[in-house]
């Protein structure tokens, strides 16, 4: 137990420590001032400040800091146990130098704050410390070649430190100063805080007990840990001398100690290679507008009283990314699952919050090349409405950037009518800013971070729980947010370890039932858009007739047996139940984990080695969750988008067009994106739809077959944006050879006729499109030119087919598969306003009895002529439900509008290699059936 704390301004300082601090002699009375080489420049460039890193490295390599007479540790010391040649320390073995500002703070009993400009230099040595004691009495003669450092600047971030690690050790890969995509080796708000935020004060565990010349409460002796003799093998002396850069006198039989993977990460990641299926030319085509590098998407927590509305996801990754057990980390595993019968790290699956969110359409929403091309085409349709369109679209896709901009300028982003005319509106071009001196540069980075962690975790329940209030105040991304510094999660507040987030980010996590609800998701998945070209409607004003519900996923769920907000539906499941699974299953990897059991964060808690001046143990208890852990997968079936990020990757592992690195910094894994793609394939095959062939007969020269499709999802299929489509590929084979096909495609994903030509309905030639087919006599499919396509088709005011979200004047067809439990009059117990209820209803499905039954099914009948007197046993039938997230006509519409975004998308589409993937021909199989049953 800790000693009783004193009050009167000396709270949290144990009495014995106070007396010793007051009477402690100065361990380094002649300490000189911090030299110019270690003073922070006034401005830091975005990403990695390589010029300052080079300056720091040159200075450290000179070892001149050893001549400053600073306080220094008694000798090299361990930061944790060392057993069986594995270091279980939080760092390697270390020897630390403290500037006079740190010394004074320690001598003053750790009261107040460390003065700005203070420096802590941590020399890192290959563990264990005993090796250096045996060789050099704990004071190595050569250069450690690896330094971790902290420089105090309380004005730059909440924790107040500039963190960094530099090295020039001959046994390590050299530092890379030329990769703008790598996680920075130095900077503010780095992952170092995942441990240092657990300190009781000022993000440092520094103590006088470690210092040479101080004989305080511990007699000048640092904490010691269990160290075995596994390092004492023949030749160990030369191994350790080699680490110092000294000449070895004889070959060593001892391998270099594996670096503890919580540190030296860029060294380790430099050894990894990335495999990618697509082209990776060395240079970006000059005509392409590329996205700025991922490390530029950075917003750290400000000092006290200056909390920004949103922080970027890199502030979460340190604690909420996975730690595999097979990468040498002493502090894993956490948030990682493993295929059976293998210890290969590359096959580990990162199921951490950050690791899976990052490769979801939400994590990529601010860099989605398809979205930005759509946005540019909307600008071209209505250039006079560009600002209105920007506000509508970026409220979700660039939520943190747009909302932060308006909030920082005193404007409520949910009421932009309050914006003064003198204030320019948020500009979508800021996403591509590369000039960090532009005052709007930070907002572009926040927008690129997509629908990021704090977008959802700052949401709170609407002021009024009624459906009318929700639909009139909260949709279109106009959600209400909790107070600054509050973030919401699914666990009870009393069960949450709050100290690391409070100390590191100035953020207080708390429990909230709302974050578990579908209503939260509905804020961005209910989109009511103005019809800008409709006569009598202008600029997003007017009655309901001037608006169209472009996205109704939440409403579709509400009007189904899956809803649980108004009574309990027979299939009750929230959005989170499906899209944030508690388990993991993938047939390709062989993984099947019904319930993931893990800690949800990796911080320095009570499971770590003992440390001076840590926060109270009771406040550092990250619980092991045997239940309640939900993955942040958020996947639908937009595998084409993920393929665009998975390809165009250079040898360093960076997507040079879309601006992201493929490797996960904390886990060291380079397979997270490919795992996400595999999960889409798994979801398509097992959780989306069921296809059956109830009957097949051959008589009177005709093959007559029924195909039944059942929607397994809790909303329409497809749902979300209206251009997604699914269609039936129906093939009749004679002796295994195709003799009839409806719904076949070419390599571009175009549905073709018997001769391989795209159907006129693919591009709505002469206004033609595929109607809804079902089992009545006049709606049977009898020709390859007829295809059952489940889709929404819209026309503009000129009665032309359009993919514009803002010219949805008329819906001419909407036969997307309805969810189980759909009712024309809406769910029992709630009255959805007619305008929104109408958005859940089908259009132009006629009197199809199966489709309209509320069973979530559709039955199609095929009637195919066959040769006379052919034995029916020679025939077989195959039916497949194919899904296209981006049909050919959608791409065609995007390329009609000259813009940087259209050029970029066309380049990506033209060079995307889908051969050998599950997305060949720009589609993915969702369900399949054969007759006879094999």
């Amino acid at each position: 137990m800790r000693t009783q704390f004193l009050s009167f301004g000396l709270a949290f300082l144990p009495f014995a420590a106070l007396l010793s601090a007051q009477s402690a002699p100065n361990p380094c009375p002649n300490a000189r001032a911090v030299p110019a080489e270690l003073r922070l420049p006034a401005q830091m460039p975005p990403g990695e400040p390589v010029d300052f890193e080079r300056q720091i490295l040159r200075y450290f390599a000179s070892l001149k800091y050893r001549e400053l007479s600073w306080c220094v540790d008694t000798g090299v010391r361990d930061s944790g146990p060392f057993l069986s040649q594995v270091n279980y320390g939080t760092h390697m073995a270390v020897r630390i130098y403290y500037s006079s500002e740190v010394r004074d703070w320690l001598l003053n009993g750790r009261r107040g704050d460390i003065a700005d400009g203070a420096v802590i230099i941590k020399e890192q040595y290959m563990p264990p410390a005993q090796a250096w004691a045996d060789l050099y009495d704990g004071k190595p003669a050569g250069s450690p070649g690896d330094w971790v450092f902290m420089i105090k600047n309380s004005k730059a971030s909440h924790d107040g430190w500039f963190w960094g690690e530099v090295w020039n050790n001959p046994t390590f890969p050299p530092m890379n100063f030329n990769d703008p995509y790598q996680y920075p080796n130095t900077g503010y708000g780095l992952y170092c805080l995942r441990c240092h935020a657990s300190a009781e004060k000022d993000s440092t565990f520094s103590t006088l007990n470690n210092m040479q010349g101080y004989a305080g409460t511990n007699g000048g002796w640092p904490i010691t840990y269990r160290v075995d003799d596994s390092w004492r093998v023949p030749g160990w002396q030369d191994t350790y001398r080699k680490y110092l850069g000294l000449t070895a006198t004889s070959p060593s039989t001892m391998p270099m100690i594996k670096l503890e993977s919580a540190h030296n990460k860029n060294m380790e990641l430099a050894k990894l290679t990335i495999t990618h299926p697509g082209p990776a030319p060395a240079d970006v085509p000059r005509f392409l507008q590329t996205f700025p590098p991922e490390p530029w998407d950075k917003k750290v927590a400000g000092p006290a009283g200056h909390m920004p509305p949103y922080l970027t996801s890199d502030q979460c990754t340190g604690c909420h990314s996975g730690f595999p057990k097979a990468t040498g980390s002493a502090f894993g595993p956490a948030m990682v699952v493993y295929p059976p019968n293998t210890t290969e790290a590359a096959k580990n699956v990162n199921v951490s919050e950050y690791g899976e969110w990052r490769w979801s359409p939400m994590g990529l929403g601010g860099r989605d090349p398809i979205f930005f091309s759509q946005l540019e085409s909307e600008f071209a349709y209505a250039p006079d409405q560009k600002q209105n369109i920007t506000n509508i679209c970026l409220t979700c896709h660039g939520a943190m950037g747009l909302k932060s901009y308006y909030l920082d300028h005193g404007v409520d982003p949910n009421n932009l009518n309050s914006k003064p005319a003198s204030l320019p509106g948020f500009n979508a071009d800021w996403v591509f800013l590369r000039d960090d001196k532009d005052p709007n540069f930070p907002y572009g980075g926040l927008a690129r971070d997509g629908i990021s962690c704090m977008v959802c975790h700052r949401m709170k329940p609407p002021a009024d729980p009624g459906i009318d209030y929700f639909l009139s105040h909260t949709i279109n991304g106009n959600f209400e947010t909790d107070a600054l510094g509050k973030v919401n999660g699914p666990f009870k507040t009393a069960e949450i370890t709050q100290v690391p987030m409070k100390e590191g980010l100035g953020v207080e996590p708390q429990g909230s039932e709302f974050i578990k609800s579908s209503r939260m998701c509905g804020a961005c998945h209910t989109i009511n858009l103005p019809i800008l070209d409709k006569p009598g409607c202008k600029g997003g004003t007017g009655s309901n007739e001037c608006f169209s519900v472009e996205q109704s996923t939440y409403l579709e769920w509400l009007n189904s047996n899956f809803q649980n907000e108004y009574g309990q539906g027979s299939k009750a499941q929230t959005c989170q139940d499906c899209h944030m699974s508690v388990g993991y299953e993938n047939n390709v990897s062989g993984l099947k984990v019904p319930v993931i059991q893990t800690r949800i964060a990796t911080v320095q808690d009570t499971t770590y080695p003992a440390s001076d001046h840590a926060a109270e143990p009771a406040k550092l208890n990250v619980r092991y969750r045997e239940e309640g852990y939900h993955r942040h997968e958020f996947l639908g079936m937009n595998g084409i988008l993920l393929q665009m990020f998975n390809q165009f990757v250079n040898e360093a592992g960076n997507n040079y067009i879309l601006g992201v690195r493929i490797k996960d910094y904390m886990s060291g894994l380079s397979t997270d994106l490919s795992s996400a793609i595999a999960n889409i394939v798994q979801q398509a095959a097992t959780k989306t739809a069921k296809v059956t062939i109830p009957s097949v007969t051959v008589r009177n020269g005709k093959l007559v077959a029924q195909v039944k499709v059942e929607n397994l999802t809790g909303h329409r299929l497809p749902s979300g944006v209206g251009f997604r489509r699914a269609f039936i590929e129906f093939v009749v084979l004679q002796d295994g050879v195709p003799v009839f096909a409806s719904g076949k495609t070419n390599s571009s994903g175009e549905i073709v006729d018997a001769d391989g030509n795209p159907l006129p309905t693919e591009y709505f030639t002469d206004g033609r499109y595929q109607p809804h087919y079902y089992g009545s006599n006049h709606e049977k499919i009898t020709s390859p030119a007829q295809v059952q396509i489940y889709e929404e088709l819209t026309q503009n005011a000129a009665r032309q087919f359009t993919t514009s979200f803002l010219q949805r004047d008329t819906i001419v067809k909407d036969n997307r598969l309805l969810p189980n439990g759909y009712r024309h009059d809406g769910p029992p117990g709630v009255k959805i306003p007619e305008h929104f209820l109408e958005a859940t209803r089908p259009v132009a499905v006629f009197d199809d009895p199966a489709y309209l039954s509320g069973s979530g099914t559709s039955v199609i009948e095929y009637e195919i002529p066959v040769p006379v007197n052919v034995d029916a046993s020679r025939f077989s039938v195959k039916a497949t439900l194919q899904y296209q997230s981006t049909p050919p006509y959608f791409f065609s519409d995007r390329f009609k509008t000259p813009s940087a975004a259209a050029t970029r998308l066309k380049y990506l589409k033209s060079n995307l290699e889908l051969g050998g993937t599950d997305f060949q021909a720009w589609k993915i199989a969702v369900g399949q059936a054969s007759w006879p049953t094999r």
Side-chain angles (χ1 to χ4, degrees):
M1 296 292 292
R2 290 177 177 268
T3 55
Q4 184 66 39
F5 293 151
L6 296 177
S7 56
F8 307 110
L10 302 178
F12 308 114
L13 185 63
F15 182 68
L18 173 64
L19 291 180
S20 64
Q22 289 177 330
S23 58
N26 188 336
C28 48
N30 300 316
R32 290 156 56 187
V34 173
E37 292 88 343
L38 300 182
R39 294 177 192 157
L40 294 170
Q43 297 292 329
M44 287 286 182
E48 189 158 12
V50 294
D51 289 340
F52 185 64
E53 283 179 5
R54 288 191 176 101
Q55 173 182 308
I56 287 274
L57 180 57
R58 284 194 298 269
Y59 182 76
F60 285 165
S62 73
L63 302 180
K64 290 182 179 179
Y65 59 90
R66 291 180 177 175
E67 303 169 6
L68 297 174
S69 300
W70 284 6
C71 291
V72 61
D73 286 351
T74 302
V76 178
R77 57 186 174 86
D78 293 311
S79 59
F82 185 93
L83 304 169
S84 302
Q85 291 197 5
V86 176
N87 174 37
Y88 292 94
T90 53
H91 287 257
M92 296 194 288
V94 299
R95 193 180 194 212
I96 302 179
Y97 289 77
Y98 312 84
S99 72
S100 58
E101 293 86 356
V102 183
R103 172 205 65 192
D104 294 344
W105 179 70
L106 292 173
L107 289 173
N108 195 38
R110 293 174 63 95
R111 285 176 287 177
D113 298 320
I114 299 176
D116 280 356
V119 178
I120 298 173
I121 303 171
K122 188 176 297 184
E123 295 181 335
Q124 294 204 113
Y125 296 91
M126 190 168 71
Q130 187 62 44
W132 306 110
D134 284 10
L135 277 174
Y136 304 109
D137 193 26
K139 301 171 185 178
S143 168
D146 184 79
W147 299 267
V148 175
F149 63 92
M150 302 163 61
I151 304 176
K152 188 67 182 290
N153 182 6
S154 63
K155 299 178 180 62
S157 63
H158 177 81
D159 66 280
W161 290 98
F162 182 90
W163 308 85
E165 178 178 19
V166 294
W167 64 89
N168 68 352
N169 191 295
T171 63
F172 299 162
M175 288 189 70
N176 185 350
F177 294 111
N178 300 311
D179 184 359
Y181 297 91
Q182 72 177 6
Y183 187 93
N185 290 297
T186 64
Y188 296 104
L190 296 192
Y191 81 96
C192 314
L193 282 164
R194 78 173 187 86
C195 286
H196 281 265
S198 295
E200 65 177 354
K201 190 73 181 296
D202 226 335
S203 299
T204 177
F205 303 96
S206 295
T207 174
L208 291 167
N209 286 333
N210 296 334
M211 287 187 182
Q212 184 175 289
Y214 172 74
T217 56
N218 202 30
W221 193 257
I223 292 175
T224 57
Y225 306 93
R226 169 77 174 108
V227 175
D228 67 12
D229 291 321
S230 58
W231 54 276
R232 294 183 185 276
V233 297
W236 71 264
Q237 297 94 337
D238 288 332
T239 297
Y240 283 84
R241 290 190 184 105
K242 181 180 178 183
Y243 178 88
L244 295 179
L246 303 176
T247 302
T249 57
S250 61
S252 172
T253 61
M254 178 182 178
M256 296 297 292
I257 301 296
K258 182 173 177 61
L259 299 175
E260 199 286 311
S261 65
H263 290 277
N264 316 96
K265 287 186 171 296
N266 277 342
M267 298 180 204
E268 294 180 356
L269 292 178
K271 303 173 187 176
L272 298 179
T273 58
I274 297 292
T275 58
H276 47 83
D283 298 316
V284 180
R286 293 184 180 180
F287 59 85
L288 286 185
Q289 179 196 54
T290 60
F291 285 84
E294 183 180 340
W296 293 15
D297 308 353
K298 190 178 189 70
K299 185 67 175 181
V300 302
H306 295 85
M307 171 59 69
Y310 293 97
L311 309 177
T312 42
S313 60
D314 67 305
Q315 299 302 286
C316 308
T317 182
C319 300
H320 293 290
S321 189
F323 269 65
K325 64 184 178 183
T327 60
S329 171
F331 305 109
M335 299 172 284
V336 175
V337 293
Y338 311 93
N341 306 318
T342 182
T343 57
E344 257 186 88
K347 294 184 179 179
N348 295 339
V349 178
N350 184 355
V351 294
S352 68
E353 300 95 328
Y354 177 83
E356 293 205 279
W357 161 86
R358 185 171 182 255
W359 298 116
S360 71
M362 293 177 69
L364 304 174
R367 291 175 177 269
D368 181 344
I370 300 171
F371 162 76
F372 278 97
S373 182
Q374 175 82 34
L375 182 66
E376 291 285 356
S377 67
E378 302 292 358
F379 291 161
Y381 291 143
D384 61 323
Q385 291 291 318
K386 184 173 182 178
Q387 188 59 63
N388 187 27
I389 295 169
T390 299
N391 292 340
I392 290 171
C393 298
L394 273 297
T395 292
C396 285
H397 272 265
M400 296 197 305
L402 180 140
K403 291 176 185 291
S404 293
Y405 171 74
Y406 287 119
L407 287 167
D408 287 350
H409 292 84
V411 177
D412 179 0
N414 292 347
N415 180 22
L416 292 181
N417 291 329
S418 64
K419 183 184 77 67
S422 58
L423 177 68
F426 183 89
N427 191 327
D429 292 340
W430 296 346
V431 171
F432 301 96
L433 280 176
R434 292 176 177 270
D435 179 6
D436 63 309
K437 296 180 177 59
D438 189 307
N440 299 309
F441 176 84
Y443 301 116
L446 282 160
R448 286 192 300 272
D449 208 36
I451 299 90
S452 192
C453 315
M454 288 190 78
V455 174
C456 294
H457 287 280
R458 281 202 63 206
M459 287 189 192
K460 72 174 183 179
D464 184 322
I467 187 69
D468 289 342
Y469 180 89
F470 170 75
L471 293 173
S472 60
H473 288 80
T474 308
I475 62 172
N476 288 16
N478 294 313
F479 47 82
E480 297 176 34
T481 55
D482 225 319
L484 278 179
K486 301 283 188 180
V487 292
N488 297 311
F491 298 109
K492 295 178 181 178
T493 303
E495 297 179 358
I496 300 172
T497 300
Q498 296 180 316
V499 165
M501 291 183 74
K502 283 183 176 180
E503 295 301 315
L505 302 176
V507 166
E508 180 178 346
Q510 59 188 7
S512 169
E513 288 298 309
F514 179 66
I515 204 166
K516 304 177 186 178
S517 71
S518 295
R519 182 68 61 90
M520 185 198 76
C521 306
C524 278
H525 290 283
T526 310
I527 305 296
N528 191 32
L529 296 180
I531 307 172
L532 297 184
D533 69 336
K534 189 165 189 172
C537 302
K538 185 178 181 180
T541 61
S543 62
N544 284 334
E545 287 71 26
C546 293
F547 287 81
S548 173
V549 180
E550 179 273 328
Q551 189 170 153
S552 57
T553 305
Y554 166 76
L555 296 170
E556 295 159 15
W557 169 86
L558 190 61
N559 192 9
S560 78
N561 281 334
F562 292 83
Q563 71 88 19
N564 68 344
E565 291 183 353
Y566 297 91
Q568 194 83 346
S570 61
K571 296 177 176 288
Q573 285 184 301
T574 64
C575 307
Q576 292 87 335
D577 289 333
C578 289
H579 295 279
M580 299 183 68
S581 171
V582 299
Y584 188 95
E585 182 175 356
N586 192 282
N587 296 334
V588 174
S589 66
L591 265 172
K592 187 173 183 179
V593 182
V595 178
I596 295 171
Q597 299 183 345
T598 183
R599 291 178 174 83
I600 69 165
T602 50
V603 302
Q604 185 162 333
D605 62 3
T606 53
T607 65
Y608 276 54
S611 177
D612 292 289
H613 301 300
E616 295 179 56
K619 295 181 179 180
L620 293 177
N621 177 28
V622 178
R623 290 163 175 77
Y624 185 86
R625 302 287 180 178
E626 295 184 347
E627 61 181 10
Y629 180 82
H630 281 263
R631 293 166 55 204
H632 286 50
E633 185 180 28
F634 305 124
L635 293 177
M637 289 191 292
N638 192 2
I640 296 299
L641 173 67
L642 268 60
Q643 288 288 357
M644 289 180 177
F645 280 86
N646 196 39
Q647 301 187 35
F648 311 100
V649 175
N650 61 22
E651 295 305 318
N654 306 316
N655 186 307
Y656 51 86
I657 295 175
L658 302 176
V660 297
R661 58 177 176 269
I662 302 301
K663 301 171 185 174
D664 181 81
Y665 183 71
M666 293 306 299
S667 70
L669 297 173
S670 60
T671 53
D672 292 352
L673 178 50
S674 58
S675 292
I677 293 171
N679 292 340
I680 288 179
V681 176
Q682 176 80 10
Q683 181 162 280
T686 62
K687 299 179 180 180
T688 304
K690 181 180 179 181
V691 178
T692 56
I693 302 176
S695 67
V696 178
T697 61
V698 179
R699 62 179 183 270
N700 301 324
K702 293 181 179 179
L703 182 148
V704 179
Q706 282 190 335
V707 175
K708 181 180 179 181
V709 183
E710 180 183 356
N711 180 10
L712 302 181
T713 73
H715 44 69
R716 278 178 173 136
L717 176 65
S719 189
V721 291
F723 54 79
R724 314 243 190 258
R725 72 178 185 178
F727 57 91
I728 298 291
E729 180 183 343
F730 179 84
V731 182
V732 179
L733 302 100
Q734 179 180 320
D735 300 330
V737 178
V739 294
F740 174 89
S742 162
K744 291 291 287 185
T745 65
N746 58 22
S747 60
S748 298
E750 297 167 320
I751 301 176
V752 297
D753 61 18
D755 297 320
N757 301 312
L759 296 177
T761 53
E762 282 296 86
Y763 297 98
F764 314 112
T765 303
D766 299 326
R768 285 181 284 178
Y769 63 96
Q770 296 288 338
H772 176 73
Y773 297 95
Y774 60 107
S776 70
N777 288 332
H778 65 283
E779 294 297 348
K780 292 178 181 178
I781 291 179
T782 61
S783 161
Q786 296 171 302
V787 184
Q788 178 72 321
I789 305 178
Y790 300 104
E791 60 188 346
E792 180 191 49
L793 298 178
T794 59
Q795 291 182 338
N796 59 23
R799 299 295 291 176
Q800 298 168 327
F801 284 95
T802 181
T803 53
S804 168
F805 289 174
L806 301 171
Q807 298 181 72
R808 295 166 49 88
D809 293 74
T810 305
I811 299 174
V812 297
K813 175 191 176 186
D814 189 349
N815 70 331
R816 292 174 293 175
L817 285 160
L818 298 170
N820 183 285
Y822 160 82
R823 291 169 56 121
H824 181 82
D825 56 348
V830 57
K831 182 172 177 55
I832 300 175
E834 182 65 19
H835 174 70
F836 292 96
L837 180 59
E838 182 69 23
T840 71
R841 294 170 177 159
V843 176
V845 297
F846 314 110
D847 58 349
D848 184 342
Y851 184 92
L852 296 171
S853 67
S855 62
T857 61
S858 172
V859 178
I860 314 99
E861 192 162 303
Y862 294 81
E863 189 174 272
I864 313 302
V866 298
V868 179
N869 300 323
V870 173
D871 186 351
S873 65
R874 296 176 60 187
F875 287 95
S876 61
V877 172
K878 184 177 181 181
T880 306
L881 181 65
Q882 303 281 10
Y883 178 91
Q884 283 186 328
S885 59
T886 44
Y889 70 84
F890 174 82
F891 282 118
S892 177
D893 276 6
R894 300 290 73 73
F895 302 155
K896 292 174 184 176
T897 306
S899 70
T903 302
R904 179 175 53 245
L905 182 61
K906 190 170 187 178
Y907 178 85
L908 292 170
K909 180 184 184 299
S910 301
N911 291 279
L912 199 65
E913 294 186 357
L914 297 176
T917 76
D918 290 280
F919 302 90
Q920 293 186 73
W922 300 84
K923 63 188 180 184
I924 182 172
V926 172
Q928 192 172 92
S930 297
W931 177 89
T933 303
R934 303 300 183 190

